[in-house]
Amino acid sequence: MALRPVDGAGIAVAAARLRRGGLVAFPTETVYGLGADATDDRAVARIFEAKGRPHFNPLIVHAPDLAAHRAWAVFDDRALRLAEAFWPGALTLILKRTPDAPVSRLVSAGLDTVAVRVPDHPVAQALMRAAGCPVAAPSANRSGRLSPTEAGHVAASLGGAADLILDGGPCPGGLESTVLSLTGDGPVLLRPGLVSRDVIEAVVGEAVVGPVEAAGPAPPGTPPESPLESPLESPGLLAAHYAPRAPLRLDAGEAQEAGEALLAFGDAPASGYAAVRNLSPAGDLTEAAASLFRLLHELDALGPAAIAVSPVPEDGLGAAINDRLRRAAVRS
Ligand code: TXA
Ligand code: MG
């Protein structure tokens, strides 16, 4: 595995690796992805091995533009409107596969749907155009761990499992894309992300429901800690996810035990903590999203007794930030 600074030669080498069935980690505007040629079953299978990812959890297919995606995904009017409004960008659409879609069935994990996204990052764009194939890519971390927002995070999490890592610096967004299913009657938000629900609703002109509301109430007897929260939920959204090694304590105020670290937001009081990082001293949610995984990685590396987290407001991007924090707080 090599860490390559990104220039034309680095892109050409990485594209050739992809075409030969290799695994290439690359930056996007959200987080780093671990890419493989989406048309190559063996290459896609290697992604699941490298991440230790369960095979029932499908992958996102990345392409440089909407036109390319139309070969394997069926776009109705609503999907076209969303693609035109948000691509390139941090919105992933779940659509029906076309008959004879030329992407591996493994990316869909046995479903008749496919997740599609056009990343808004010059390195991702250059890589996909040079490779000339759709790129299947989950976040470039071991399954269940924090998503990587820097090349160093990828190297630390995957070791030699990636054939090559393209180092494009820190990801500007810092949180994964929003995953929206358009396979039912109404749009269903499977994963909150960088594109927030209200801006999607403004484009489609209808309510976007969460997976739990779309599935109706849980059947009686469903244990509250059931890992899959509803049958409609994105198969990858296990409750325990994005886990740092240290336990997380949410909505924290004062320090509660010796050796606790604090992940603060805004002007939260920080006395009594062994280490403190602030998501955004100014209380800005975009800045907080961009620094969330980096600061969690940083605090976790200090080996604290626990990581306490100050409250983060739930509006706009706060919904996605709190979603990741709640998942990080669940111990598997
Ligand atoms: O920002 C991102 O989305 C990053 C970058 C690299 O693009 N990728 C990413 O991939 O976060 P991953 O695999 O870590 O998360 C993709 C999510 C998973 O929760 C998966 O279950 C869901 O999308 N997903 C993929 N295909 C699906 C499908 N056909 N139906 C329902 N959910 C799907
Ligand atoms: Mg992931």
Side-chain angles (χ1 to χ4, degrees):
M1 173 204 54
L3 271 172
R4 285 182 175 269
V6 178
D7 55 15
I11 296 285
V13 169
R17 276 294 179 110
L18 276 182
R19 280 196 304 265
R20 287 203 311 269
L23 299 187
V24 172
F26 62 97
T28 79
E29 80 279 33
T30 60
V31 300
Y32 274 75
L34 180 66
D37 176 352
T39 66
D40 179 338
D41 287 331
R42 288 185 55 163
V44 173
R46 285 189 63 208
I47 291 181
F48 288 91
E49 272 163 49
K51 282 184 57 95
R53 179 171 175 121
H55 282 80
F56 59 76
N57 190 0
L59 304 176
I60 299 173
V61 175
H62 300 71
D65 51 38
L66 164 65
H69 278 309
R70 298 188 84 160
W72 40 84
V74 180
F75 287 78
D76 60 11
D77 284 351
R78 190 170 51 186
L80 285 176
R81 251 184 296 143
L82 285 164
E84 272 152 23
F86 296 110
W87 285 356
L91 179 66
T92 295
L93 298 176
I94 310 295
L95 303 172
K96 292 280 185 206
R97 289 173 67 105
T98 54
D100 306 317
V103 293
S104 168
R105 291 229 153 243
L106 285 177
V107 302
S108 299
L111 303 169
D112 61 354
T113 57
V114 61
V116 287
R117 173 164 118 75
V118 174
D120 186 12
H121 192 289
V123 174
Q125 281 282 339
L127 176 66
M128 293 185 299
R129 289 187 192 276
C133 58
V135 176
S139 51
N141 51 280
R142 290 283 300 171
S143 185
R145 294 286 160 197
L146 291 172
S147 290
T149 59
E150 297 175 5
H153 297 159
V154 180
S157 189
L158 290 179
D163 296 311
L164 199 143
I165 300 172
L166 281 174
D167 185 352
C171 301
L175 272 190
E176 301 89 342
S177 62
T178 302
V179 180
L180 187 75
S181 173
L182 296 178
T183 58
D185 287 343
V188 179
L189 184 69
L190 297 181
R191 178 175 74 182
L194 280 182
V195 177
S196 55
R197 184 195 293 253
D198 45 334
V199 296
I200 296 173
E201 286 178 338
V203 169
V204 290
E206 58 188 309
V208 172
V209 298
V212 177
E213 299 117 79
T222 305
E225 69 278 21
S226 167
L228 281 174
E229 284 158 19
S230 84
L232 260 184
E233 178 136 23
S234 225
L237 290 190
L238 304 176
H241 207 57
Y242 305 104
R245 284 171 221 288
L248 244 66
R249 183 165 69 80
L250 302 183
D251 289 319
E254 306 283 296
Q256 279 193 354
E257 53 173 318
E260 262 192 330
L262 177 70
L263 185 62
F265 178 79
D267 52 10
S271 61
Y273 286 100
V276 180
R277 298 288 185 283
N278 199 315
L279 288 168
S280 169
D284 177 75
L285 289 168
T286 303
E287 184 187 13
S291 50
L292 176 67
F293 289 143
R294 176 174 54 83
L295 295 183
L296 275 173
H297 274 112
E298 230 175 274
L299 286 177
D300 205 30
L302 302 175
I307 300 174
V309 187
S310 312
V312 175
E314 185 67 24
D315 41 81
L317 265 184
I321 295 171
N322 283 319
D323 169 80
R324 302 307 188 273
L325 285 169
R326 282 192 291 269
R327 291 177 197 284
V330 174
R331 309 311 292 174
S332 46

